[in-house]
Amino acid sequence: MGASTSTSNPSLEAQEQETLASASLALPLLRAAFSRSNGSLAEALSPPPAAFRSDSPPVPPRFHDLVARLGPAIASLFFSDVGPAGDAAGWLGFLRGFNRCCARVPASQSLALLLRVYAAACADAGAPCGLQFHPDEDGAGGEGKVVGELAPGEIAVLLWMCWVMAWSGSAPGVSGGQEGGGKGEPVLLPDVTHLVLSALVSAGAVADDAGVWGWEVSRGGKGVKVQEFTSWVLSTAAGLGNCLSRYVQERFRSCAADPVEERSVSTGNTSSCNPDVYLLTRGRAWAISLSLRNTLSEKFLSASVIGMDTEDLLYRSSVHGKGLSRFWSCVEGYKGPVLILLSAFSRSGGDNVDTDQRWGIGILTEEGLQNKDTFYGSSASLCSTYPIFRMLPPSGMTCAGHFLFTTADSSLRPYCASDLAGKEKNFIYCHLHPQIRVYEAKPKPVGLGFGGTIGNERIFLDEDFSKLTVRHHAVDKTYQHGSLIPNQGYLPVEASVLDVEVWGLGGEATRRQQDMYKKREDIFSEQRRKVDLKTFGNWEDSPEKMMMDMISDPNAVRREDR
């Protein structure tokens, strides 16, 4: 009520702030959140109380204190000048604070705000943190900058804090384990080791990624400077920059809807307490969501919180059987985005890879699979899912919707047009044996391929799903450069396939269309099995009888009818 009175004749600054805020959240909702949370903004901006656990790496002792201090840190940094609800200056201060953390700004600036919140929460909770905030020296009222470096364990804690932000708004209405004696199972945090390793390798903190198998976050090691961490986020996990603004908006939505009920209910989900049993773990789903800037990001974000819907699993080799024919029988007719995940281990005897080590790669495409003997598709992305996470979108495209950067000379610069010249569109190759065999002088390979050229694919899975070949990115002009396997080298890597998964991301409507397609194909197949003798012509006029007559008496004189 006070908010509406104070804004009946708003000042020019208030009008500007309201216009800016309305681009992120509706003004009526903001007014309701301001009225209900006034005097307790720290509580309104805190995540629901819950207990968290992790199988690997272990949760640090101060993590729960850090999560509890998240709301007070945001309130003190951005909403310190908010006055009473009936005061016009209080509403204006509320708008200023909301716009400081939620207005649309460059990704690097959003990440800097997130790091400020992390550093403030760590300081309040007594958790170790290697970041320091330096305000603007000229006193111009800017945000200043964050300096220092993040140790491997601190990167894991920061990633977990961001995941808790997403968790608090993505699984409402389900009671979970509350710290301090609440009932329910603790919320299982996703494994972020592959993301931590990705940041360390990108910054050069891990000199050679050949020894990453078995690497543990608790081992510690060299830290990553803020500039290097920012570069990694912009190129690999740009979604981290949106965590703060998204979290604040979700907390205000919940506060405006029903603050009492929201604060008394934890948002844990029973499925998030179950261990990962698929190749698409919750940690890998979250990593993919951070690298995408389209509608599929929300799908993977939900999967990282509550797990994937098992109905979206189109194919799993351990369940449906290995082989391209079994694979095709499960994915045929699915005209929507799909994620293909491959798990393999390098065969012994290779000189350019560590032998007998498991690794995982994936292919994400927004169009269904087709049976063709040529490459097809308009867009797709390759990714390394284990032990290091990397996303390799098509060449000529920016990663996660941002410009790509390089740190080879310890500076940031966008790639120029010459870096992205001469690209191809060999995205997907899926070829089965034709039903009617014909002679081919140069038969096309049978299997699944991605990138490269026919016979020299960047990734190729054979017909039996037993051998996986991964080639160096030098043979590929379709996808961006980068290794998919630690210590990959220049020679082709042949690996034994452990498991293959295909997830359909098109939703229920796409599944129904596939079911209809399969029913039609079953009807056509049944019709082709039936032979109706009435449809055949007269035997006396058939070419078959003429051929039989010629064979029985080849010397007989016959007149050609014209």
Side-chain angles (χ1 to χ4, degrees):
M1 295 177 62
S4 61
T5 303
S6 64
T7 57
S8 57
N9 295 307
S11 63
L12 180 60
E13 182 183 1
Q15 289 181 352
E16 294 175 352
Q17 294 291 340
E18 287 180 352
T19 302
L20 185 60
S22 62
S24 302
L25 209 59
L27 282 180
L29 193 149
L30 279 174
R31 293 191 182 100
F34 173 61
S35 300
R36 293 177 178 177
S37 64
N38 189 261
S40 59
L41 270 173
E43 182 182 358
L45 290 169
S46 297
F52 300 95
R53 68 178 181 89
S54 172
D55 296 334
S56 178
V59 178
R62 296 285 184 177
F63 180 74
H64 288 91
D65 296 334
L66 185 150
V67 172
R69 299 303 301 170
L70 183 58
I74 297 175
S76 62
L77 287 175
F78 305 108
F79 299 93
S80 58
D81 57 345
V82 176
D87 186 7
W91 168 246
L92 181 58
F94 179 82
L95 289 175
R96 288 172 180 166
F98 177 80
N99 289 329
R100 285 178 65 190
C101 58
C102 294
R104 296 180 179 178
V105 293
S108 57
Q109 186 175 342
S110 298
L111 180 62
L113 296 177
L114 176 66
L115 294 178
R116 285 188 61 189
V117 172
Y118 170 72
C122 287
D124 293 344
C129 181
L131 302 180
Q132 300 87 33
F133 170 67
H134 287 183
D136 286 342
E137 298 179 356
D138 56 2
E143 296 293 346
K145 64 179 181 178
V146 181
V147 297
E149 65 178 30
L150 292 166
E154 295 173 2
I155 297 176
V157 171
L158 172 61
L159 292 173
W160 274 337
M161 186 190 77
C162 295
W163 183 85
V164 170
M165 290 180 174
W167 162 85
S168 64
S170 299
V174 183
S175 61
Q178 295 185 4
E179 184 153 15
K183 296 181 179 180
E185 293 290 334
V187 178
L188 181 62
L189 295 170
D191 186 3
V192 295
T193 304
H194 56 309
L195 283 170
V196 177
L197 271 174
S198 178
L200 295 175
V201 172
S202 175
V206 175
D208 187 0
D209 60 358
V212 297
W213 281 289
W215 185 88
E216 297 179 356
V217 174
S218 58
R219 182 187 307 174
K222 183 181 177 182
V224 177
K225 295 182 179 180
V226 172
Q227 184 183 17
E228 297 169 336
F229 183 75
T230 301
S231 176
W232 172 76
V233 169
L234 293 177
S235 62
T236 305
L240 281 178
N242 299 327
C243 287
L244 177 60
S245 61
R246 182 189 181 104
Y247 172 75
V248 172
Q249 293 177 43
E250 289 294 337
R251 299 319 303 157
F252 282 158
R253 285 193 185 97
S254 301
C255 180
D258 196 341
V260 176
E261 180 180 356
E262 176 66 23
R263 300 309 308 154
S264 62
V265 176
S266 172
T267 59
N269 190 286
T270 54
S271 64
S272 66
C273 302
N274 297 328
D276 294 311
V277 295
Y278 298 104
L279 295 181
L280 184 59
T281 63
R282 295 185 303 115
R284 294 166 191 169
W286 189 49
I288 296 175
S289 73
L290 293 177
S291 66
L292 299 178
R293 297 268 61 85
N294 53 28
T295 55
L296 292 180
S297 176
E298 296 296 326
K299 181 82 172 180
F300 287 107
L301 178 61
S302 176
S304 72
V305 174
I306 61 177
M308 285 292 292
D309 186 356
T310 54
E311 293 185 358
D312 292 331
L313 183 61
L314 301 179
Y315 171 78
R316 191 180 188 188
S317 59
S318 59
V319 176
H320 301 94
K322 284 188 174 182
L324 189 59
S325 59
R326 295 178 181 270
F327 166 88
W328 186 249
S329 65
C330 295
V331 303
E332 184 180 12
Y334 192 89
K335 305 300 182 182
V338 295
L339 172 67
I340 304 174
L341 294 177
L342 308 172
S343 175
F345 67 93
S346 303
R347 294 180 174 179
S348 300
D351 297 331
N352 62 326
V353 294
D354 288 358
T355 59
D356 300 329
Q357 301 287 358
R358 290 189 59 176
W359 41 265
I361 58 178
I363 303 94
L364 177 63
T365 174
E366 297 189 20
E367 51 191 314
L369 299 174
Q370 304 176 33
N371 179 18
K372 290 187 175 182
D373 60 355
T374 59
F375 276 97
Y376 66 92
S378 58
S379 180
S381 297
L382 305 180
C383 63
S384 173
T385 59
Y386 178 82
I388 301 176
F389 178 79
R390 291 189 180 98
M391 181 64 74
L392 304 176
S395 298
M397 294 181 61
T398 55
C399 183
H402 299 275
F403 289 103
L404 293 171
F405 293 89
T406 179
T407 56
D409 54 355
S410 300
S411 62
L412 300 177
R413 71 170 181 86
Y415 281 110
C416 62
S418 61
D419 296 324
L420 305 175
K423 306 308 176 185
E424 297 176 348
K425 294 184 178 181
N426 295 341
F427 291 103
I428 307 172
Y429 175 87
C430 180
H431 180 47
L432 286 75
H433 277 302
Q435 295 182 353
I436 301 177
R437 301 293 182 90
V438 295
Y439 173 76
E440 293 179 295
K442 295 182 179 181
K444 298 295 181 65
V446 177
L448 281 174
F450 307 93
T453 57
I454 294 179
N456 202 30
E457 301 84 0
R458 185 168 181 179
I459 300 175
F460 187 77
L461 183 61
D462 69 351
E463 180 183 8
D464 299 327
F465 280 18
S466 60
K467 185 179 74 173
L468 178 65
T469 304
V470 181
R471 293 180 173 87
H472 191 263
H473 58 71
V475 305
D476 181 23
K477 295 182 180 180
T478 300
Y479 298 99
Q480 289 182 2
H481 290 179
S483 61
L484 292 167
I485 306 171
N487 196 28
Q488 180 175 345
Y490 291 95
L491 299 178
V493 177
E494 291 188 355
S496 298
V497 179
L498 296 174
D499 203 359
V500 181
E501 285 181 5
V502 181
W503 293 89
L505 308 173
E508 184 179 354
T510 307
R511 290 200 303 265
R512 288 199 302 266
Q513 292 178 356
Q514 185 191 26
D515 293 339
M516 295 174 59
Y517 174 86
K518 287 185 175 182
K519 290 179 181 179
R520 289 196 300 266
E521 288 297 313
D522 292 340
I523 293 175
F524 294 154
S525 298
E526 186 65 25
Q527 290 177 347
R528 286 192 290 267
R529 293 191 187 99
K530 297 179 180 179
V531 179
D532 188 2
L533 297 179
K534 296 181 180 179
T535 60
F536 284 89
N538 189 0
W539 169 255
E540 297 295 332
D541 299 330
S542 65
E544 287 82 0
K545 183 179 183 301
M546 181 180 297
M547 294 295 296
M548 294 295 293
D549 292 342
M550 292 178 63
I551 295 174
S552 60
D553 189 3
N555 297 321
V557 179
R558 290 178 176 83
R559 180 173 58 86
E560 182 179 1
D561 294 332
R562 295 187 180 274

